[in-house]
Amino acid sequence: MKVTVVGAGNVGATVANVLATKKFCSEVVLVDIKEGVPQGKAMDIMQTAHMLNFDTTVTGVTALPNDPEGYAPTAGSDVVVVTSGMPRKPGMSREDLIGVNAKIVKSVVDQALKYSPNAYFIIISNPMDAMTFLTLKDTKLPRNRILGQGGMLDSSRFRYFLAQALTKAGYPATPADVDGMVIGGHSDKTMVPLVSYATLRGIPVTQLLSKEALDDVVAQTKVGGATLTKLLGTSAWIAPGAAAATMVEAIALDAKKLIPCCVYLDGEFGEKDLCIGVPCILGKNGLEKIVEIKLDGEEKAKFEESVQAARNTNAKLGDALK
């Protein structure tokens, strides 16, 4: 499998590194507009090949916006992961990035699609739900080929905070012991951690943690990205990159894995004409199935609020959708 990662910043480089170490790709191409950066990061990754025992070839390419042949080395990619755009800074919301990132995402997707017309696209750039919607509308590709990475990351953060709360309550746990899912928008205010479905080795966490503790876990999950941005001075990159690589792996290996992803809804959950995070089965055909789980009253109301917020953000795309 050949994978192109657009954007050689922290997230993009992490995607490329995790893909290489997972050993299922034959080639990974790291693309950026900054001369030397993708080449240097690709070289750095390749210099771990013997130590980490992988045969994946990672190369770096500079592709300027005005170079019609810049994406030629990406030709024939099976999956394209888009990380391009401005990252968040402390005090910024993901939605604050919509103006500048819409132009960048539209440009790089069009260039990548020119050389890889059969590729699946995984969008990471923020605001992710809107960028996924923009990509689907701009390319007019079938919805199974356009996926947004948000739910996988948010769910991992949810599991981390649950594990911490469980350990504090006297039930020692690591994130690997916990199952939990986040749906809705990839936004500090509107993501929906599903407490009713969360378990510790099959035991519902509602039987182990107080409502106060669970409310605190939900609150920490929703601002998980902002917390890291405040600590790091920029957006997180290790978990986001690993999340995207895991989605690529599910497609490459036809894993039929249940992963919350941002996808286009066409009647599922009673909604149409937007992209938002829902439980999905990923396999060789990209999105293979949307799993319509039952939501309790509070979760359903919060999901509907999240849907409306996503529609409001999409309305700000304006000319980018034309």
Side-chain angles (χ1 to χ4, degrees):
M1 167 169 276
K2 181 176 181 177
V3 179
T4 286
V5 181
V6 185
N10 289 335
V11 175
T14 301
V15 175
N17 186 55
V18 175
L19 287 174
T21 58
K22 280 181 173 286
K23 306 178 184 180
F24 63 85
C25 293
S26 58
E27 182 179 2
V28 177
V29 182
L30 190 57
V31 182
D32 204 283
I33 61 173
K34 295 180 180 179
E35 179 67 44
V37 172
Q39 292 87 346
K41 291 190 176 182
M43 185 183 297
D44 196 20
I45 293 170
M46 286 302 298
Q47 288 173 0
T48 72
H50 185 270
M51 292 181 283
L52 300 179
N53 191 31
F54 64 81
D55 296 316
T56 304
T57 299
V58 184
T59 56
V61 174
T62 301
L64 299 176
N66 59 354
D67 181 1
E69 304 300 321
Y71 276 69
T74 71
S77 293
D78 299 287
V79 180
V80 176
V81 181
V82 179
T83 76
S84 303
M86 192 173 98
R88 281 202 293 176
K89 296 178 181 178
M92 294 180 70
S93 72
R94 295 180 177 92
E95 289 71 26
D96 291 335
L97 303 172
I98 191 166
V100 61
N101 284 357
K103 296 176 182 177
I104 296 171
V105 169
K106 186 172 182 178
S107 174
V108 301
V109 167
D110 289 347
Q111 293 179 77
L113 189 61
K114 173 183 174 183
Y115 287 98
S116 301
N118 298 315
Y120 295 89
F121 285 82
I122 296 175
I123 309 299
I124 301 180
S125 309
N126 280 316
M128 184 276 298
D129 301 285
M131 295 301 100
T132 304
F133 184 70
L134 171 63
T135 300
L136 185 132
K137 292 295 184 178
D138 179 55
T139 62
K140 297 179 174 57
L141 293 174
R143 68 173 181 168
N144 66 299
R145 290 175 57 188
I146 308 293
L147 307 166
Q149 189 287 109
M152 181 79 183
L153 172 62
D154 296 331
S155 297
S156 293
R157 288 173 174 163
F158 184 36
R159 296 183 192 108
Y160 168 76
F161 290 118
L162 278 170
Q164 285 198 317
L166 286 161
T167 299
K168 184 177 180 181
Y171 306 101
T174 70
D177 297 319
V178 178
D179 201 5
M181 183 186 305
V182 176
I183 63 171
H186 184 50
S187 168
D188 298 353
K189 296 180 181 179
T190 63
M191 68 176 69
V192 186
L194 298 179
V195 171
S196 66
Y197 283 93
T199 61
L200 170 63
R201 294 295 186 186
I203 303 171
V205 296
T206 52
Q207 296 181 19
L208 305 174
L209 296 175
S210 67
K211 184 179 186 304
E212 291 75 18
L214 289 168
D215 286 346
D216 186 56
V217 166
V218 168
Q220 290 185 79
T221 300
K222 293 175 75 170
V223 298
T227 299
L228 286 164
T229 299
K230 184 177 180 180
L231 291 169
L232 298 168
T234 187
S235 298
W237 61 88
I238 298 174
T246 300
M247 290 172 65
V248 176
E249 182 179 36
I251 295 171
L253 303 183
D254 192 24
K256 303 292 192 286
K257 185 171 286 189
L258 178 64
I259 297 175
C261 303
C262 177
V263 295
Y264 184 80
L265 298 186
D266 188 23
E268 295 86 4
F269 291 90
E271 302 294 342
K272 287 188 175 184
D273 198 34
L274 86 157
C275 293
I276 200 163
V278 292
C280 299
I281 301 295
L282 298 191
K284 64 180 180 181
N285 297 310
L287 170 64
E288 303 220 341
K289 183 177 183 179
I290 293 174
V291 181
E292 293 191 73
I293 58 176
K294 293 182 179 180
L295 304 177
D296 66 28
E298 184 179 359
E299 291 167 346
K300 190 173 188 300
K302 289 181 178 179
F303 181 73
E304 290 172 352
E305 290 176 9
S306 188
V307 165
Q308 188 55 53
R311 293 193 190 280
N312 293 342
T313 303
N314 288 344
K316 297 177 183 178
L317 287 169
D319 291 342
L321 286 173
K322 296 179 181 178

